[in-house]
């Protein structure tokens, strides 16, 4: 699967997924320390959920079928911002 922004992310996507899966709290601790806060947004339409995200109130206009997809996109955005610091 192609994920937007992976090319500019310092970590390969498989490592990001491994970090999230093995110990997501440590990843979020790093983000908290760097003042990067993720919000996952939920929308219900005809009883079907869709999910989006924002980092520090700057969000995506894309909606995803699963929360996991939205979380992954948000984490990638945070990693891009960490990489720019």
């Amino acid at each position: 699967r192609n994920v937007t922004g992976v090319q500019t992310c310092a970590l390969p996507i498989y490592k990001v997924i491994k970090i999230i899966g093995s110990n997501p709290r440590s990843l979020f601790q790093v983000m908290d320390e760097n003042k990067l806060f993720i919000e996952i947004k939920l929308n219900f339409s005809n009883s079907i959920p869709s999910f989006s995200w924002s980092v520090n109130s700057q969000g995506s206009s894309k909606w995803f079928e699963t929360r996991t997809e939205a979380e992954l996109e948000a984490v990638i955005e945070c990693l891009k911002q960490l990489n720019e610091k």
Side-chain angles (χ1 to χ4, degrees):
R1 176 176 178 267
N2 252 346
V3 179
T4 306
V6 172
Q7 299 83 358
T8 60
C9 182
L11 290 174
I13 190 64
Y14 72 90
K15 286 190 178 183
V16 172
I17 292 169
K18 186 174 181 180
I19 291 169
I20 293 170
S22 65
N23 190 358
R25 184 64 232 147
S26 63
L27 178 63
F28 287 110
Q29 183 67 34
V30 170
M31 291 177 194
D32 288 351
E33 290 169 2
N34 285 277
K35 308 291 188 230
L36 295 169
F37 304 105
I38 293 174
E39 176 185 12
I40 300 299
K41 301 172 186 176
L42 169 64
N43 182 48
F44 269 101
S45 179
N46 298 323
S47 298
I48 299 171
S50 58
F51 303 88
S52 190
W53 59 270
S54 67
V55 173
N56 296 347
S57 300
Q58 300 297 314
S60 169
S61 60
K62 295 192 306 187
W63 289 87
F64 301 90
E65 292 181 9
T66 67
R67 180 189 344 232
T68 303
E69 290 174 299
E71 290 172 342
L72 181 57
E73 289 278 342
V75 166
I76 288 169
E77 177 59 28
C78 284
L79 292 173
K80 285 173 27 182
Q81 289 186 30
L82 281 172
N83 200 33
E84 294 170 0
K85 288 187 174 201

